[in-house]
Amino acid sequence: MATKLENLEVSMISLVKSGANKKSIIYKSAKEPNLSKDIKIIKSDEEGVVYGIVYSPNEIDSQGDFADANTIKTAAYSFMKSGFAKNVDREHSFNNVDAYVCQSWLIKSGDPVFPDEKEGSWAVAIKLESDELKDAVKKGEISGISMAGVANKIQAQETSKSENSLTNLIKSIENIFKQKREEKVEQDVLKAIQSGLDSYKQSFDELSLKLESLEKRVKLSEEALSKSAQKIDIKIDENQGVL
């Protein structure tokens, strides 16, 4: 059963043959600026920096331990705040070697060094100052990093099949309700649109009736004016016939 680490405090980072976190390191030089998360080490003859993952959240290491993202973040901040940048040894000897942590950060989406690594992982860049360490990286004698520190270990509880089934059932019910809510929203939108169209049609019909009534009144007015004009013409003609 896996053990969860809490109150993690890292005081030493080790250059090792194979890290307990199962991660390999990436070797960068001035001539090899192109970096990616890879099992292979990018080698160089020039002075370089090794990049690696100290710990990734919720991943069980070879010792059966894991830590959540918040625990890892706290440990990463504490390591730098405590001035442990020079606490780099080899194979957990607790004897500092000629190297130091020159960069420390938490992985975010699209990380340029580790684009495929899990968000919240603690990454470091370690500057190698001696030819011996650089040669060890090139020969594969150093291929990973590990950490040393203290933490409270809490036995993680295994989730039973019945609990998993209940969780899946709850999620299914939640999805059904979510789908129903989305359908209801869609229906409400359609009703609102239809109501708006009906209101527009009613207003249009009323306007049409008013225009039709106005046209009739105009026509009647024109007819009345035409008849009045005819009467005036007849009267004028009659007057002209009288001397």
Side-chain angles (χ1 to χ4, degrees):
M1 186 180 297
T3 302
K4 183 179 181 180
L5 302 179
E6 292 188 352
N7 301 320
L8 176 63
E9 296 180 8
V10 178
S11 58
M12 183 73 72
I13 293 179
S14 284
L15 302 170
V16 295
K17 174 71 173 179
S18 179
N21 58 10
K22 304 175 184 177
K23 306 290 182 181
S24 292
I25 61 176
I26 295 174
Y27 189 75
K28 176 190 175 184
S29 76
K31 289 186 177 181
E32 298 288 347
N34 189 17
L35 302 174
S36 63
K37 180 70 184 70
D38 201 327
I39 297 301
K40 296 179 180 179
I41 296 175
I42 301 173
K43 298 182 179 181
S44 172
D45 294 334
E46 298 182 24
E47 180 180 0
V49 176
V50 291
Y51 290 76
I53 299 297
V54 179
Y55 224 113
S56 293
N58 302 317
E59 288 189 6
I60 300 175
D61 63 26
S62 60
Q63 297 174 354
D65 299 330
F66 72 95
D68 59 30
N70 189 59
T71 298
I72 292 172
K73 178 175 69 173
T74 302
Y77 290 167
S78 178
F79 182 85
M80 299 304 291
K81 182 180 179 180
S82 300
F84 291 154
K86 292 185 177 181
N87 286 10
V88 179
D89 68 1
R90 189 168 175 182
E91 298 295 342
H92 292 295
S93 65
F94 290 93
N95 294 317
N96 289 8
V97 294
D98 198 6
Y100 63 93
V101 176
C102 59
Q103 295 180 49
S104 174
W105 73 98
L106 298 172
I107 298 294
K108 294 182 179 180
S109 177
D111 186 273
V113 181
F114 298 103
D116 300 321
E117 197 62 52
K118 184 182 295 185
E119 288 191 49
S121 298
W122 176 12
V124 294
I126 301 175
K127 180 72 168 61
L128 305 179
E129 296 283 85
S130 71
D131 293 335
E132 179 185 355
L133 292 176
K134 296 170 193 174
D135 290 340
V137 170
K138 294 172 186 177
K139 294 176 182 178
E141 295 172 358
I142 294 176
S143 60
I145 64 174
S146 188
M147 67 177 187
V150 294
N152 296 332
K153 291 191 174 186
I154 300 175
Q155 202 71 19
Q157 295 181 351
E158 292 184 348
T159 304
S160 64
K161 291 183 179 180
S162 60
E163 289 175 334
N164 283 329
S165 299
L166 179 60
T167 301
N168 291 334
L169 177 60
I170 292 173
K171 288 183 178 179
S172 298
I173 294 173
E174 289 177 345
N175 289 334
I176 291 173
F177 277 106
K178 181 180 179 181
Q179 183 177 359
K180 292 296 182 183
R181 285 196 299 269
E182 291 175 350
E183 290 176 355
K184 185 178 185 305
V185 170
E186 183 177 350
Q187 291 174 359
D188 290 343
V189 171
L190 290 175
K191 286 180 180 179
I193 294 173
Q194 186 61 48
S195 176
L197 290 174
D198 291 342
S199 177
Y200 175 78
K201 185 177 182 300
Q202 182 179 357
S203 299
F204 181 79
D205 291 342
E206 291 175 355
L207 181 60
S208 297
L209 290 173
K210 289 180 180 180
L211 288 173
E212 185 177 350
S213 175
L214 181 60
E215 288 175 354
K216 289 180 179 179
R217 290 169 61 185
V218 170
K219 186 175 182 181
L220 290 173
S221 297
E222 289 176 347
E223 290 176 352
L225 288 172
S226 178
K227 289 180 179 180
S228 297
Q230 290 176 0
K231 289 180 179 181
I232 292 171
D233 290 341
I234 293 172
K235 189 173 181 179
I236 291 173
D237 291 341
E238 290 176 351
N239 291 335
Q240 287 177 349
V242 178
L243 295 174

